[in-house]
Amino acid sequence: MNTAGHSEATERRGLELTPFRGLRYDPDRVGSLAAVTSPPYDVVVRPDGVHHLQSADPYNIVRLILPQAATPSARNDQAAQTLRRWLSEGVLTTDPDPGLYVYEQRDGDGMLQRGIIGALRVSDPAEQVVLPHEDVMPHIVADRAALMRATSANLEPLLLTYRGDDSTTATADLIERTAEQPPLLATTTEDGFSHRLWSVTAPADLTTIQSDLARHQALIADGHHRWATYRRLRTEHASPSPWDHGLVLLVDTARYPLRVRAIHRLLHDLPVVEAVAALDGHFRVRRLEVPLPEALEALADAACAGNAFLLAGDGAFHLVDHPDPDLLARTIPADRPTAWRTLDATVLHSTLLDHVWRIPEDSPAHIAYIHDTAATVAKAERDGGTAVLMHPVREEVVRDLARQGVTMPRKSTSFGPKPASGLVLRALDL
């Protein structure tokens, strides 16, 4: 949607990125920078991933983003105490000057991503400056808000994208020039990605970036719940305050296209045999006795022709496709665009979860959302549940729906590479 009102609002007030004094690990106080980093909190496969990261280094960032204790309040208190202790011990130190940060990620397959980390003004949806494309789960927003209140910190940056054009050439050139300089830090994490970080503190450079971005809007690629948390916490504090801004990574996807992957579902209490039986007469189901890569290829082929899913958990894969059109007509809301009504995630939530399997999508006791495909299958097989493997959505579909103000079902996409947590934090009371 590109109405005159939308255009005027964007021109009047677009992205406002503010420098901040980054909070970073002192490399002399930790075993290695790679050992203290973590994927974003919602990508860590719990509890196995938490235990692995905790054992990697006593100062791993997971102790702040996913503290372990018996109750939510105890977890948040523990994170706050840990943060204060690391600050007093000098494990985490504050950069001397406010700045924006150029951040680079690179892997061995030719993926290169560069962007800018800063404190972004938190805006309301009506401004259409930051475009969400997914719904959020209230209990996760409440959980993240409680953690941010306790620590008074943005512990990990969200991933936002914008589409650069002729108006952002100066910023693009500045990013490239900065990346030719010696970095503040450089490390390679166990997933094979190398990470480098630079600070930008010169007033002229900061002005260039801020004026370029002020003409643009951004799409939330990863971090819907944390953005909703930023918005909630901003309303709790009288403005102006540090809570008016939140930590983000902004990537120009015209120069650095992201990878878009699916987020899979694990249905804890539904065995595969029952899940398949309930589909009789509603979908076509074919059993595949093949390895995971071949099963995913079959899913991709089926997804070209329509809605398709892979079920797993009993040692085989079950390809689910060809939904009954009458069933879809009865179960999917008709007041949304066709692009939304035909999404796999829409069919999964409106038809399969709500109508066929009758599983509440917002209950952690019944359903988990997992990014790693093999881990989803392994947990389903170990726990006796059902893994529902999804095929990814194209970025242009996501952006088009977001511009129309239409949100996709929650956890519909996984954009990446995601910024590593632990390279730079933002303390709101420093």
Side-chain angles (χ1 to χ4, degrees):
M1 185 173 66
N2 197 16
T3 64
H6 161 67
S7 176
E8 290 170 5
T10 304
E11 291 173 5
R12 185 171 61 250
R13 199 166 192 190
L15 297 169
E16 297 179 29
L17 202 60
T18 299
F20 70 104
R21 295 176 65 202
L23 194 61
R24 297 189 295 112
Y25 282 99
D26 182 342
D28 295 331
R29 296 297 309 273
V30 297
S32 76
L33 287 174
V36 297
T37 65
S38 164
Y41 80 98
D42 59 336
V43 181
V44 178
V45 179
R46 291 171 270 188
D48 299 352
V50 173
H51 295 157
H52 170 71
L53 291 166
Q54 284 183 333
S55 62
D57 191 283
Y59 299 118
N60 190 282
I61 192 68
V62 77
R63 297 177 186 273
L64 300 183
I65 64 174
L66 288 173
Q68 301 298 294
T71 66
S73 61
R75 290 195 292 270
N76 297 328
D77 289 344
Q78 179 177 293
Q81 293 167 10
T82 300
L83 178 58
R84 286 195 295 270
R85 185 172 72 252
W86 290 356
L87 285 167
S88 66
E89 294 174 354
V91 173
L92 288 170
T93 60
T94 307
D95 283 338
D97 300 310
L100 301 174
Y101 295 82
V102 171
Y103 175 48
E104 175 190 277
Q105 294 165 277
R106 188 191 297 264
D107 71 3
D109 297 328
M111 163 64 80
L112 171 64
Q113 177 172 291
R114 289 179 179 142
I116 302 171
I117 295 176
L120 184 68
R121 180 182 70 88
V122 179
S123 55
D124 293 321
E127 296 181 61
Q128 290 204 307
V129 173
V130 174
L131 304 175
H133 69 266
E134 290 183 357
D135 293 329
V136 297
M137 291 175 265
H139 73 276
I140 295 181
V141 176
D143 174 75
R144 291 293 102 183
L147 178 64
M148 286 190 205
R149 285 191 204 98
T151 58
S152 192
N154 299 152
L155 300 172
E156 43 185 352
L158 285 62
L159 175 59
L160 273 59
T161 73
Y162 66 100
R163 299 292 291 178
D165 52 26
D166 291 343
S167 70
T168 55
T169 301
T171 292
D173 291 345
L174 191 155
I175 290 173
E176 303 308 309
R177 289 198 311 273
T178 302
E180 295 172 356
Q181 306 301 314
L184 284 177
L185 64 84
T187 190
T188 300
T189 45
E190 63 178 19
D191 59 4
F193 270 91
S194 64
H195 308 260
R196 297 197 295 168
L197 190 77
W198 299 261
S199 63
V200 177
T201 58
D205 291 339
L206 296 175
T207 298
T208 293
I209 295 171
Q210 290 171 317
S211 61
D212 280 2
L213 293 178
R215 306 180 181 96
H216 287 267
Q217 60 183 184
L219 174 74
I220 301 177
D222 185 67
H224 283 82
H225 288 91
R226 283 168 287 166
W227 181 255
T229 300
Y230 289 170
R231 291 185 52 239
R232 173 183 291 191
L233 293 173
R234 183 197 59 174
T235 65
E236 296 176 0
H237 298 81
S239 185
S241 84
W243 299 94
D244 292 341
H245 296 77
L247 188 63
V248 305
L249 165 65
L250 278 163
V251 174
D252 175 3
T253 52
R255 286 181 175 258
Y256 301 105
L258 299 185
R259 292 171 176 159
V260 187
R261 293 179 171 146
I263 302 177
H264 309 297
R265 275 66 170 162
L266 176 62
L267 312 180
H268 297 299
D269 301 324
L270 182 66
V272 175
V273 63
E274 294 181 17
V276 169
L279 298 175
D280 186 37
H282 298 309
F283 288 77
R284 181 175 71 172
V285 183
R286 288 173 285 168
R287 184 182 178 93
L288 307 177
E289 299 281 356
V290 297
L292 176 58
E294 292 182 33
L296 291 174
E297 289 179 7
L299 174 62
D301 290 341
C304 292
N307 301 117
F309 312 90
L310 266 182
L311 306 188
D314 61 352
F317 295 98
H318 306 265
L319 182 60
V320 178
D321 62 359
H322 288 201
D324 174 16
D326 291 337
L327 174 65
L328 299 184
R330 292 197 311 270
T331 56
I332 295 179
D335 59 347
R336 304 288 183 90
T338 300
W340 182 90
R341 300 182 74 248
T342 54
L343 289 169
D344 287 338
T346 298
V347 173
L348 172 64
H349 285 260
S350 296
T351 304
L352 286 171
L353 292 178
D354 290 353
H355 181 80
V356 177
W357 293 327
R358 300 189 182 281
I359 293 175
E361 61 180 298
D362 58 353
S363 170
H366 294 91
I367 185 170
Y369 298 82
I370 304 177
H371 294 72
D372 186 274
T373 309
T376 311
V377 175
K379 288 180 71 67
E381 291 180 346
R382 183 171 66 243
D383 302 340
T386 293
V388 183
L389 306 184
M390 310 281 288
H391 186 67
V393 183
R394 300 191 317 278
E395 181 182 354
E396 53 266 32
V397 173
V398 177
R399 192 177 294 275
D400 181 58
L401 285 171
R403 283 179 173 150
Q404 296 179 60
V406 178
T407 54
M408 299 166 65
R410 58 197 59 169
K411 298 294 183 182
S412 294
T413 59
S414 176
F415 284 88
K418 304 178 191 304
S421 299
L423 296 181
V424 62
L425 293 66
R426 175 177 176 250
L428 279 75
D429 51 5
L430 292 179

